[in-house]
Amino acid sequence: MKLSFKIFLGICISSILAIVMVASIFVTRSFRINIDNEINRCVKEIGLMESYIEDSLDKSTAEDKTILNSYVEYYQDKNTYLAYFEGKKEICKSNDSITIKNTELLDVNSDEVLSTTQEIDGKKYLLLSTKLDNDGVLVYIRNINSIYEIRKDLIKFSVILMGVMLFIIAGIAYLIAKTLTKPLDKIQKEMIKLQNGDFNINLKETKDEFGELAKNFNKMSKEIETRNSELIEMINSKQIFIDNMSHEINTPLTLIQGYAELLEKANCTEEQKMNFLASIQDETKKINDMHKKLLLLSYKRNADLEKRNFDARKMFDKIENNICTKIQEKRLNLIIENSIVNIYGDETLIIMCVTNLINNAINASQPEKTIWIKSYEEGLKQYIHVIDEGKGIPKEHINKIIEPFYRVDKARSRQNGGAGLGLSICKSIMELHDGQLIIKSKIDEGSTFILEFPKK
Ligand code: ADP
C-alpha cells in the first residue's frame, strides 16, 4: 500500500471516529438534559397539583372523589394526564387508553416523588407518582415523545453532517497525503535518474526531515558523480598507459624483426652483419630497460620499502659516480651543494630518482652548461633540487610529463633511450616517501626539479 494512501486512510478513519464520538456524546447529552429538565418541570407541577388538590380536599365538604374527578378530567387532551389510585385500585384517570404497567410507582411514600417512563401506543410517556394526605396516590403522566423525536432528528442530522464531513475530510486528507509525500515522490524520481546515470540532481533542502534526506541524497549523488568520474579517468589513463606501452614495445620489436630479416639475406657483408647484430642488441636492451621500469612502477607501489636513515653525503657521492662519465662526455659542469646530514627513506629508490632527474638535465643541456644539485632542510621538510640551464619545458607540457610514456620531443627522447617512464617513476617514489615532485621550467632558461619529502 502506498504511503500517501496510508496517510489518507489514517486521516479519514481517525477524523470519522472523532466525529462519531463527538456527535454521539452531543446527542446523548442533549437528550439527557431535555429529559432532566422535563422531570424537574413535572416534579414541580405534580408538587403544585398535590397542594391544590389537598387544599381543595381540606376545604371541601362535598365528596372528595368528585373534586378529584374534576381535576383529572381537566387534564384531558393536554398531553398531560392524571390518574388517581387508592391502594392499587384505579379510581379515576383522564385518558382511558393509558394503563400504568409499573405498579411499583404506586408504592410511593409521603413526601416522595417516584418517576418512570413507559411506552403507550408507540409514544413515550413520563410517569410521576406522589402520595396525597388521604393516602391516595396521584399519578402524573406526561407525553415526552417530542424529546425522543428531537433525539431522532439530531441523530439524522448528525448522520447527514457526517456524510458531508466525510467528503470534506477525504478531500483535505488527499491534499495532506499528497503534500506530505511529494518530496518522497521527488526523491524517488531523482533516484531513477541516478540509476540511469544522470548525476544532475539538486533536491530542494527544506528544514524538515525530508530536507535532511534531500541534503544527504544530494551529497550522495555528488559523491557518486565524483567517484564515477575518477573511475572513468582511471580507466582512461589505464587504457592510455596500455596503448602507449604496446606502442613503445612495438617500435623496437619491429626494428629487431627488420634487422633479423636483413641478416637472413645471404648477400650481407660481415661488417653489415655486425652492425645489424649491434642494433638488435640495442633494441633488446631498450625493451629490457622498459620492462624493468614497468616492473618498478607496478611492483614498488605495493611492496614494503626498505626505509632507514642513511648518509646524504655518501648518497650524493654514489650519484656523482654514476653520472660522471656522461657529464664529462657532454662537457658539462656539475655542482653539488648539500647541507643535509641524513635522509630517511629507501636509499636505492632515492638514488634512482635523483639520477633520473640528472640524466634528464644532461639530455636537455648544451655543452659547457652547468647542472646544480642543491639539498637543504627547511622546517619539517627536506629538499633536493636538480637545476639545469637546458632548453626548458613548454608550459603546456609541464603537467603532462609525469604521465607514463609522455615525452615532449618523442624522436629525441627515443634517441636518448628514454621511454617517458622516468618522471612517473620519480613521482611514485616520492609518493611512497609521503613527498612530492615539483617541476618549474622556463623555455630556453632551464628547469628545476624539486624533490620534497618530510624530515623524519
Ligand atoms: P625519459 O625517460 O624519456 O626521459 P621522463 O619521464 O624522465 O622520460 O621525462 C619525460 C620527458 O620530459 C622527457 O622526454 C623530456 O621531453 C622532458 N624532460 C624531462 N626532464 C627535462 C629537463 N630537465 N629539461 C627539459 N625537458 C625535460
Side-chain angles (χ1 to χ4, degrees):
M1 197 193 280
K2 275 185 106 180
L3 179 65
S4 55
F5 190 60
K6 280 185 193 169
I7 295 174
F8 172 77
L9 265 191
I11 295 174
C12 285
I13 291 172
S14 51
S15 310
I16 285 165
L17 281 178
I19 292 170
V20 168
M21 253 168 64
V22 170
S24 63
I25 289 171
F26 172 71
V27 170
T28 319
R29 185 94 190 102
S30 71
F31 175 71
R32 198 61 256 163
I33 289 169
N34 285 343
I35 288 281
D36 287 348
N37 284 344
E38 202 59 35
I39 290 172
N40 287 338
R41 208 168 65 156
C42 293
V43 166
K44 272 183 203 155
E45 275 190 27
I46 199 174
L48 276 172
M49 244 172 248
E50 185 188 355
S51 56
Y52 281 142
I53 291 170
E54 278 171 349
D55 269 4
S56 309
L57 289 178
D58 284 347
K59 288 173 202 157
S60 167
T61 47
E63 191 61 29
D64 285 356
K65 278 180 192 122
T66 324
I67 296 159
L68 279 163
N69 254 329
S70 61
Y71 268 105
V72 168
E73 273 164 25
Y74 173 74
Y75 278 99
Q76 276 177 7
D77 301 329
K78 284 188 169 59
N79 263 345
T80 307
Y81 309 103
L82 285 178
Y84 177 66
F85 288 81
E86 281 181 359
K88 301 275 176 196
K89 192 176 166 218
E90 187 185 282
I91 305 300
C92 58
K93 58 182 175 187
S94 33
N95 189 338
D96 285 339
S97 61
I98 292 171
T99 315
I100 291 151
K101 290 175 192 158
N102 189 352
T103 51
E104 279 175 21
L105 210 60
L106 304 174
D107 296 329
V108 63
N109 297 320
S110 328
D111 302 330
E112 188 188 44
V113 176
L114 293 182
S115 70
T116 186
T117 53
Q118 187 182 315
E119 198 174 306
I120 302 161
D121 294 337
K123 287 182 178 166
K124 290 279 183 182
Y125 286 88
L126 176 67
L127 283 77
L128 279 87
S129 65
T130 185
K131 198 167 202 170
L132 298 178
D133 286 346
N134 64 355
D135 277 346
V137 175
L138 184 69
V139 179
Y140 180 90
I141 305 148
R142 189 169 179 86
N143 183 343
I144 53 165
N145 214 43
S146 60
I147 295 176
Y148 282 84
E149 286 300 323
I150 290 172
R151 186 171 73 161
K152 231 194 231 167
D153 283 353
L154 273 179
I155 291 172
K156 232 193 252 171
F157 177 71
S158 300
V159 170
I160 294 169
L161 194 72
M162 270 188 309
V164 175
M165 292 286 273
L166 185 66
F167 273 107
I168 298 169
I169 287 168
I172 295 171
Y174 176 79
L175 285 179
I176 292 175
K178 274 281 153 209
T179 317
L180 282 181
T181 54
K182 201 175 162 189
L184 269 186
D185 289 343
K186 185 97 181 84
I187 290 175
Q188 206 183 352
K189 270 185 202 151
E190 297 297 287
M191 219 173 243
I192 293 169
K193 254 171 80 179
L194 196 66
Q195 272 173 12
N196 295 332
D198 182 354
F199 299 104
N200 191 18
I201 282 161
N202 198 8
L203 284 166
K204 207 170 155 202
E205 294 175 11
T206 48
K207 280 188 178 145
D208 53 12
E209 286 84 348
F210 286 120
E212 200 58 32
L213 190 67
K215 195 171 150 190
N216 288 330
F217 192 78
N218 285 342
K219 244 194 219 167
M220 186 186 79
S221 63
K222 292 257 158 8
E223 190 67 16
I224 294 177
E225 188 178 11
T226 319
R227 292 282 159 88
N228 191 52
S229 43
E230 274 173 11
L231 205 69
I232 292 172
E233 212 172 288
M234 210 171 85
I235 293 168
N236 285 343
S237 65
K238 283 246 154 105
Q239 191 55 48
I240 292 170
F241 182 88
I242 291 167
D243 290 349
N244 284 336
M245 193 174 74
S246 67
H247 176 76
E248 291 304 323
I249 291 176
N250 197 41
T251 312
L253 277 180
T254 316
L255 286 172
I256 291 171
Q257 198 185 357
Y259 292 131
E261 279 168 8
L262 286 171
L263 270 174
E264 241 185 3
K265 288 186 181 160
N267 54 357
C268 275
T269 62
E270 262 324 289
E271 198 192 336
Q272 276 175 323
K273 276 184 186 171
M274 290 316 284
N275 282 341
F276 293 153
L277 274 174
S279 300
I280 288 175
Q281 264 177 345
D282 272 358
E283 296 307 318
T284 316
K285 193 176 163 287
K286 275 184 201 165
I287 296 178
N288 204 22
D289 260 15
M290 206 187 311
H291 171 244
K292 274 187 201 153
K293 282 180 179 172
L294 284 172
L295 267 187
L296 198 89
L297 255 184
S298 63
Y299 164 74
K300 273 294 175 186
R301 222 162 262 189
N302 306 317
D304 283 334
L305 302 181
E306 288 159 26
K307 280 188 183 172
R308 60 181 178 84
N309 260 324
F310 60 87
D311 191 321
R313 195 179 52 80
K314 282 186 185 162
M315 179 193 80
F316 286 116
D317 287 347
K318 285 179 197 169
I319 293 172
E320 197 175 0
N321 226 19
N322 286 346
I323 44 115
C324 65
T325 326
K326 231 178 157 188
I327 291 276
Q328 281 162 11
E329 273 174 14
K330 217 165 173 190
R331 284 179 283 120
L332 293 167
N333 304 312
L334 179 72
I335 300 173
I336 300 178
E337 292 169 5
N338 171 40
S339 63
I340 299 178
V341 182
N342 280 322
I343 294 175
Y344 180 80
D346 189 316
E347 189 180 5
T348 321
L349 291 185
I350 293 180
I351 288 179
M352 182 187 287
C353 193
V354 181
T355 311
N356 183 58
L357 295 181
I358 301 173
N359 269 325
N360 283 347
I362 294 170
N363 290 337
S365 302
Q366 292 299 321
E368 311 303 336
K369 296 285 180 186
T370 307
I371 294 172
W372 285 270
I373 298 171
K374 290 183 183 170
S375 62
Y376 60 95
E377 291 179 350
E378 203 175 84
L380 295 171
K381 302 244 164 90
Q382 291 180 324
Y383 297 87
I384 301 175
H385 289 222
V386 177
I387 308 159
D388 66 59
E389 299 174 312
K391 58 185 173 186
I393 306 160
K395 224 176 177 184
E396 64 274 19
H397 293 284
I398 290 185
N399 288 330
K400 294 182 185 161
I401 54 171
I402 45 167
E403 288 168 15
F405 300 109
Y406 194 90
R407 288 163 301 199
V408 178
D409 183 346
K410 292 197 191 306
R412 262 173 167 270
S413 294
R414 198 169 279 134
Q415 268 173 21
N416 292 327
L421 288 171
L423 289 179
S424 45
I425 290 174
C426 285
K427 185 182 161 241
S428 299
I429 292 173
M430 276 299 100
E431 280 168 3
L432 290 169
H433 285 80
D434 305 318
Q436 58 173 332
L437 170 67
I438 304 161
I439 306 169
K440 293 176 181 170
S441 186
K442 265 194 180 160
I443 284 285
D444 296 332
E445 281 185 27
S447 312
T448 304
F449 286 76
I450 305 166
L451 301 179
E452 178 200 271
F453 41 92
K455 195 165 94 178
K456 293 262 163 69

